[in-house]
Amino acid sequence: MGFLVSRIVGQHPFFQHAERVRGVLLVSIVLLGLGNGFGQSSFLWYFGNQAGIKFNANGTTSPLTGSAMTTNEGSTVASDTSGVLMFYSDGVSVWNNSSSTPVATGLLGSQSSTQAALALALPGSNCQRFLVFTTKGLETSGAHDLGVVLVNVSGTSPGYLVNVNQPALSVVQPSGSVVFAEKLAATSDTAGGYWVVAHDYALGTGSATTFYKYNITAAGFGSVTTTAQAQSQLAAVQQTQSVGSNHHDNNAPSYNAQGQMKFSKTGQKLGLVLAGSKIVDLYQFHLVTGNLTLLATTTVSSSLGNLYGCEFSPNGTKLYASEGFAGSGTIIRKLYQWDITAGTLGTPFVVASGSNVYSNRYKYNALQLGPNDKIYCSEEMGISFLSVIANHNDSGAACN
């Protein structure tokens, strides 16, 4: 492990291995703290193979134990405003903060989805009712719906009681009528609510350019107490918009269903990657209307690996993307940075590059902005730490 650290840091002194956790796999954390600033509710992450990390008030981090979850990709965590864990999910099951046995199973996601789960407290519920949205990996059988389930939280800290009283439902009815990609993102609407955004996918010659957008407000969802009511209200507020690149593959495997989609910290920009086509799209997002405007698109033409991770710098002037899977572990993959100050995607700066050290074919995987304003990267299976970009508001080699 020490050799790996010194080798990569020697090549790229601005890409550091600093945060040690257990069993990091492909990670996609969607945080409860969204939009303008992160509260204590986003100060701990559970992910991967029973891995966890705690963000301390002084800006340091420490390993976090207690997770019963083993998952390959996306996960979500819900905590109270003091940073006490309430529950977490891999898109299939829900665990409370005290038991290794799930309190609910049968959610409509899967452990092989890039952004498998997203938990949001219903506005006005005082963190007592949550919606958990899910997506399913395209290699998993069955309908690939955008799923939703209502999670109820009662009791007092730290002995929270977590219940799921109704089965999960497809947001778009009937189930299977829309194939959704493995993309989920959310941001504050700056008025006390949230925007949740997903995207469709097509295998074959079909077109998949549609964003599905939902404005979760106290007026619309404050009285929702069941999953069925949540699904009905989501259908009522649903907006669709066709814009940007085609999320499709002519033939299997469904690589272009994979790859992260992220909002900037202010919520005014949205970025995404298409894994197989190696396309990066950058959008402007209107926080009131939900309208998306395509600002720029680019193809990483020299890429030898599928794109996977996507993240903005805290000040919204840089966009990062990572290459994960490749046909061989010996193939060089890269982590890229674009300066998007002018709303363009020019020639990217290569933050890091390397091949696999262990016997797998994944390199730079999920990217996630932490509450300490550092970007974290999960690397290949077998590495027990997260890599970090500390100064990612800076351009080029200065990103440190």
Side-chain angles (χ1 to χ4, degrees):
M1 200 71 69
F3 170 76
L4 176 66
V5 175
S6 61
R7 183 180 68 84
I8 294 181
V9 173
Q11 280 187 307
H12 304 281
F14 35 85
F15 191 58
Q16 305 167 14
H17 291 287
E19 319 298 342
R20 289 192 171 271
V21 294
R22 292 201 308 127
V24 177
L25 301 178
L26 305 182
V27 183
S28 176
I29 309 289
V30 183
L31 301 176
L32 179 59
L34 297 163
N36 294 306
F38 289 81
Q40 282 291 129
S41 55
S42 64
F43 273 23
L44 59 87
W45 296 350
Y46 276 163
F47 54 92
N49 181 13
Q50 298 180 347
I53 187 170
K54 180 180 180 180
F55 296 88
N56 303 310
N58 63 2
T60 63
T61 60
S62 55
L64 183 66
T65 61
S67 172
M69 177 175 64
T70 298
T71 187
N72 290 336
E73 298 189 61
S75 59
T76 191
V77 177
S79 306
D80 65 20
T81 55
S82 298
V84 176
L85 176 68
M86 290 179 162
F87 68 87
Y88 53 102
S89 175
D90 60 358
V92 178
S93 301
V94 176
W95 290 265
N96 63 18
N97 64 7
S98 60
S99 175
S100 60
T101 302
V103 298
T105 58
L107 277 64
L108 302 185
S110 72
Q111 295 181 336
S112 62
S113 176
T114 307
Q115 293 172 297
L118 185 158
L120 292 172
L122 286 177
S125 74
N126 196 30
C127 288
Q128 293 181 333
R129 298 190 307 280
F130 291 78
L131 294 183
V132 176
F133 294 87
T134 60
T135 64
K136 181 181 288 187
L138 264 291
E139 69 273 28
T140 307
S141 62
H144 294 88
D145 296 323
L146 174 63
V148 68
V149 69
L150 186 85
V151 177
N152 294 290
V153 180
S154 59
T156 57
S157 175
Y160 290 113
L161 302 176
V162 179
N163 295 291
V164 178
N165 297 323
Q166 288 189 329
L169 294 172
S170 174
V171 172
V172 179
Q173 293 289 330
S175 173
S177 57
V178 175
V179 175
F180 279 89
E182 301 173 16
K183 289 176 167 61
L184 270 177
T187 190
S188 167
D189 64 5
T190 71
Y194 304 96
W195 284 99
V196 176
V197 178
H199 203 287
D200 66 349
Y201 171 77
L203 179 61
T205 58
S207 178
T209 60
T210 303
F211 287 90
Y212 286 74
K213 301 174 288 187
Y214 305 90
N215 193 195
I216 314 298
T217 64
F221 290 82
S223 61
V224 166
T225 58
T226 68
T227 299
Q229 290 173 355
Q231 186 279 325
S232 177
Q233 186 59 22
L234 288 166
V237 302
Q238 176 179 286
Q239 299 181 25
T240 58
Q241 182 182 356
S242 182
V243 60
S245 298
N246 192 357
H247 295 220
H248 87 294
D249 290 283
N250 290 326
N251 302 289
S254 302
Y255 286 140
N256 282 332
Q258 302 168 9
Q260 289 183 306
M261 176 171 67
K262 294 290 185 66
F263 279 103
S264 64
K265 197 170 181 180
T266 65
Q268 295 176 309
K269 289 187 178 72
L270 183 141
L272 61 83
V273 299
L274 298 182
S277 298
K278 297 147 190 174
I279 290 173
V280 181
D281 281 352
L282 175 65
Y283 299 86
Q284 191 79 27
F285 185 76
H286 196 290
L287 292 170
V288 177
T289 66
N291 186 66
L292 283 160
T293 302
L294 181 65
L295 298 177
T297 186
T298 189
T299 301
V300 184
S301 58
S302 61
S303 170
L304 293 174
N306 287 359
L307 291 177
Y308 190 89
C310 175
E311 189 57 278
F312 289 92
S313 62
N315 67 2
T317 65
K318 309 296 185 296
L319 180 65
Y320 292 82
S322 62
E323 292 174 336
F325 174 81
S328 168
T330 63
I331 292 174
I332 298 295
R333 272 137 295 158
K334 300 176 181 180
L335 176 62
Y336 300 97
Q337 180 205 69
W338 286 267
D339 189 323
I340 58 170
T341 306
T344 59
L345 292 168
T347 302
F349 175 78
V350 177
V351 177
S353 64
S355 59
N356 288 100
V357 174
Y358 296 92
S359 57
N360 64 83
R361 294 179 291 172
Y362 297 88
K363 184 57 183 174
Y364 305 118
N365 300 300
L367 300 176
Q368 181 63 47
L369 181 65
N372 57 358
D373 277 350
K374 296 179 181 180
I375 291 178
Y376 292 83
C377 175
S378 66
E379 291 201 46
E380 58 183 289
M381 302 175 191
I383 294 180
S384 59
F385 48 76
L386 299 175
S387 297
V388 60
I389 309 171
N391 300 322
H392 35 58
N393 287 328
D394 298 333
S395 297
C399 67
N400 192 18

